[in-house]
Amino acid sequence: MALASNYVAQLRTAGLQVTGPRVGILEAVGANPHADTVTIFAAIRLTQPEVSRQTVYDVLNALTSAGLVRRIQPAGSVARYESRVGDNHHHVVCRACGVIADVDCAVGAAPCLTPSENDGGAVGFDIDEAEVIFWGVCAACSTPQVSDQPNSPNRRE
């Protein structure tokens, strides 16, 4: 219950009307970091079966515009949502399975990266955010499976 009241306070502070779907979607995003809309829709339908897919999209747009959730979309992926906002963290994506994890800023305070002064493209910009996505292979995907090791009795041929 304390968590729901926290979401109610966040909605009110952001100037948004408090509705069941908004609170439920904030709960779903909080419980499922980097979730896509399908996952969020399935999560909210467990407690609010009357909520439509369109409502989920509309609420996610409103929550993103209000700064209560962050929308990310790594290349080749659908949009994903997270409740960690305001700290300008980055992400790492596994090329094999697609899992996404948070990565804190590498150096210094936000926005972590400063464009080259030699470039000139950023002249006149007041930069407040840098979006960095690291790519690699997660530990689970880079660890050989028992059945893939040579001479294993479970090896697939």
Side-chain angles (χ1 to χ4, degrees):
M1 188 58 136
L3 201 55
S5 64
N6 184 35
Y7 293 134
V8 168
Q10 288 179 14
L11 289 165
R12 287 186 176 140
T13 300
L16 294 176
Q17 181 179 357
V18 176
T19 65
R22 286 180 176 167
V23 172
I25 289 171
L26 280 171
E27 289 173 339
V29 171
N32 300 284
H34 310 118
D36 59 12
T37 54
V38 172
T39 302
I40 295 166
F41 179 67
I44 193 161
R45 292 291 297 250
L46 294 174
T47 57
Q48 299 180 44
E50 71 283 358
V51 172
S52 71
R53 224 176 267 280
Q54 187 60 52
T55 297
V56 171
Y57 284 107
D58 293 345
V59 169
L60 285 169
N61 284 332
L63 296 175
T64 301
S65 294
L68 297 179
V69 300
R70 181 177 176 191
R71 180 184 186 272
I72 62 168
Q73 190 167 5
S77 176
V78 297
R80 305 206 175 238
Y81 298 86
E82 63 181 346
S83 58
R84 185 175 170 186
V85 296
D87 68 348
N88 197 44
H89 67 279
H90 307 299
H91 298 94
V92 60
V93 180
C94 178
R95 290 186 188 279
C97 70
V99 70
I100 301 172
D102 291 336
V103 177
D104 290 329
C105 288
V107 179
C112 316
L113 302 175
T114 304
S116 169
E117 292 180 16
N118 298 331
D119 182 7
V123 172
F125 280 83
D126 180 16
I127 297 174
D128 61 10
E129 181 178 0
E131 185 173 317
V132 176
I133 298 178
F134 298 96
W135 294 85
V137 179
C138 71
C141 291
S142 63
T143 304
Q145 300 298 312
V146 172
S147 62
D148 291 337
Q149 295 178 357
N151 303 320
S152 169
N154 297 324
R155 182 181 172 151
R156 295 181 295 233
E157 297 294 330

